[in-house]
Amino acid sequence: MMRGMSRLATRGGARYKSLLTLNEDEVALQDMVKAFAKEEIAPYVMEMDEVQKMRPELIQKCFEQGLMGIETAEQYGGSDAGFFGSIIAIEELAKVDPSVSVMVDVQNTLVNNAFFRWGTDAQKEKYLRMLSTNTLGSFCLSEAGSGSDAFALKTRAEKKGDEYVINGNKMWITNSGEAGLFLVMANVDPSKGYKGITCFVVTGDNPGVRIGKKENKLGIRSSSTCEVIFEDCVVSKDAIVGELGKGYKIAIEVLNEGRIGIGSQMIGLAQGAFDTAVKYSMEREQFGQPIGTFQGMQHQQAQCATNIMAARLMVYNAARMKEAGENFVMEAAMAKLYASQVAQQVASQAVEWMGGVGFVKDYPAEKFYRDAKIGAIYEGTSNIQLQTIAKMIQSNL
């Protein structure tokens, strides 16, 4: 019986590995991003948060490190490190600054991903190379009247000869302040409802696109979040990504993958907050001993560590399922939902463990706390994730 069970744990002569086991390339990427975040990002985190602006030279360094085209093939100037490589990088960056993390996340899991899957050869050659080397991208879906109800969007793309004229306003668009490329969801035929929605690529030098109000946010403040206005924005028919009327499919599917990225951002954030506060708790003494040695504190920290581990396993599992070509929609929704909950819980407790210094901007705890809230909102609110999970459960009955 034991020999039989042993065989069950073996496939192709190799033991099954833990979800946390990384291959050599993944370990090297993790080490590189960790060092980059510590050396190049950490010194400027609080300054960028205060002025609500990403340092341009830091964005350029992200390109130089290969972080803006992680999954992109080498032939297009990318790192060719796979989807899981993006997840590793997003997590490591979020341990230091969730703002830089989400910039890299959107670039890789939403914008680049759309071109991988639906771009023509010419679009891949042109745009993936730009996105890997020097151009930040934005994914323009949300509008003032279409957040969770994304397909209620009002932006129109009217066909005129071989061109389309785009008019409409997009809201809460990540990376838009620095972007040189926009993926825009616009309806070419409102009579068809969501089946008229089409994805267009618009470059930043198009005279019909301009950046509107920049939001003054609670958290991830150095990540630009702006209104993007399209006014008589003329693009050729070659600007269509995928097929005419299939923009809804692109939006749904890239957001499914993007949710794993946000889950990774949230576990990195939680780990960053946790590490900061635990270290402080072993340095801060009260009643003649480090506060981290009191049993009440130890139990809280043990519970947070357990929750972070559970969230990480969920995120990694969804990412591995995606890479394996399995249906990962429910697992991605669960991972994002739970990771965002854990991030908020851990970041909140980190502030409490650090007491007064946790409440001031001299220490990173309060920033992690502010940054954590967005995880329950963007790329699908927590209620949307619950609805997705419920539908998947019922569809399997």
Side-chain angles (χ1 to χ4, degrees), residues 121-153:
D121 289 343
Q123 287 173 338
K124 290 177 182 178
E125 178 61 37
K126 180 177 181 180
Y127 298 119
L128 283 177
R129 190 170 298 281
M130 289 169 56
L131 291 162
S132 294
T133 57
N134 58 28
T135 303
L136 197 60
S138 279
F139 187 78
C140 302
L141 174 63
S142 296
E143 299 179 4
S146 59
S148 293
D149 185 10
F151 297 153
L153 61 85

Side-chain angles (χ1 to χ4, degrees), residues 265-340:
Q265 181 203 24
M266 289 295 112
I267 58 175
L269 186 159
Q271 191 68 62
F274 181 83
D275 291 346
T276 297
V278 169
K279 182 176 183 294
Y280 178 83
S281 75
M282 297 306 295
E283 297 169 348
R284 169 70 168 168
E285 291 193 3
Q286 291 286 275
F287 305 102
Q289 67 185 88
I291 61 173
T293 62
F294 287 102
Q295 187 181 63
M297 182 72 80
Q298 290 174 331
H299 287 185
Q300 291 178 50
Q301 292 177 353
Q303 186 63 62
C304 283
T306 301
N307 294 347
I308 294 170
M309 177 63 75
R312 179 173 289 112
L313 290 170
M314 293 177 74
V315 170
Y316 283 18
N317 180 58
R320 293 299 193 194
M321 289 178 71
K322 186 273 174 188
E323 282 202 323
E326 300 175 18
N327 187 334
F328 62 90
V329 174
M330 182 169 74
E331 286 77 8
M334 288 178 167
K336 179 185 182 293
L337 172 70
Y338 187 64
S340 65

Side-chain angles (χ1 to χ4, degrees), residues 102-337:
V102 75
M103 175 184 71
V104 171
D105 173 33
V106 168
Q107 181 89 348
N108 285 280
T109 68
L110 297 187
V111 181
N112 293 348
N113 186 21
F115 285 111
F116 298 152
R117 299 186 58 186
W118 292 281
T120 63
D121 289 343
Q123 287 173 338
K124 290 177 182 178
E125 178 61 37
K126 180 177 181 180
Y127 298 119
L128 283 177
R129 190 170 298 281
M130 289 169 56
L131 291 162
S132 294
T133 57
N134 58 28
T135 303
L136 197 60
S138 279
F139 187 78
C140 302
L141 174 63
S142 296
E143 299 179 4
S146 59
S148 293
D149 185 10
F151 297 153
L153 61 85
K154 300 298 183 184
T155 298
R156 283 289 315 276
E158 184 180 357
K159 192 174 190 307
K160 291 188 176 181
D162 288 337
E163 297 176 326
Y164 287 85
V165 181
I166 303 173
N167 282 284
N169 291 18
K170 297 294 182 178
M171 299 290 293
W172 311 296
I173 305 303
T174 301
N175 290 350
S176 53
E178 303 84 11
L181 182 149
F182 303 87
L183 284 180
V184 186
M185 297 299 168
N187 202 317
V188 299
D189 186 353
S191 69
K192 294 181 179 179
Y194 72 89
K195 291 188 177 180
I197 297 173
T198 301
C199 181
F200 294 89
V201 57
V202 179
T203 54
D205 58 0
N206 189 309
V209 59
R210 61 186 174 90
I211 306 303
K213 176 189 175 185
K214 180 179 179 180
E215 301 296 344
N216 185 5
K217 307 190 301 293
L218 170 71
I220 57 166
R221 287 166 61 83
S222 66
S223 166
S224 63
T225 305
C226 310
E227 176 186 23
V228 182
I229 302 163
F230 299 92
E231 188 172 3
D232 293 332
C233 179
V234 180
V235 296
S236 73
K237 62 181 181 181
D238 294 333
I240 294 174
V241 179
E243 300 176 36
L244 195 69
K246 297 296 184 181
Y248 71 93
K249 178 179 174 66
I250 294 174
I252 289 173
E253 295 193 16
V254 297
L255 285 172
N256 283 335
E257 298 184 18
R259 286 165 184 164
I260 305 175
I262 297 302
S264 185
Q265 181 203 24
M266 289 295 112
I267 58 175
L269 186 159
Q271 191 68 62
F274 181 83
D275 291 346
T276 297
V278 169
K279 182 176 183 294
Y280 178 83
S281 75
M282 297 306 295
E283 297 169 348
R284 169 70 168 168
E285 291 193 3
Q286 291 286 275
F287 305 102
Q289 67 185 88
I291 61 173
T293 62
F294 287 102
Q295 187 181 63
M297 182 72 80
Q298 290 174 331
H299 287 185
Q300 291 178 50
Q301 292 177 353
Q303 186 63 62
C304 283
T306 301
N307 294 347
I308 294 170
M309 177 63 75
R312 179 173 289 112
L313 290 170
M314 293 177 74
V315 170
Y316 283 18
N317 180 58
R320 293 299 193 194
M321 289 178 71
K322 186 273 174 188
E323 282 202 323
E326 300 175 18
N327 187 334
F328 62 90
V329 174
M330 182 169 74
E331 286 77 8
M334 288 178 167
K336 179 185 182 293
L337 172 70

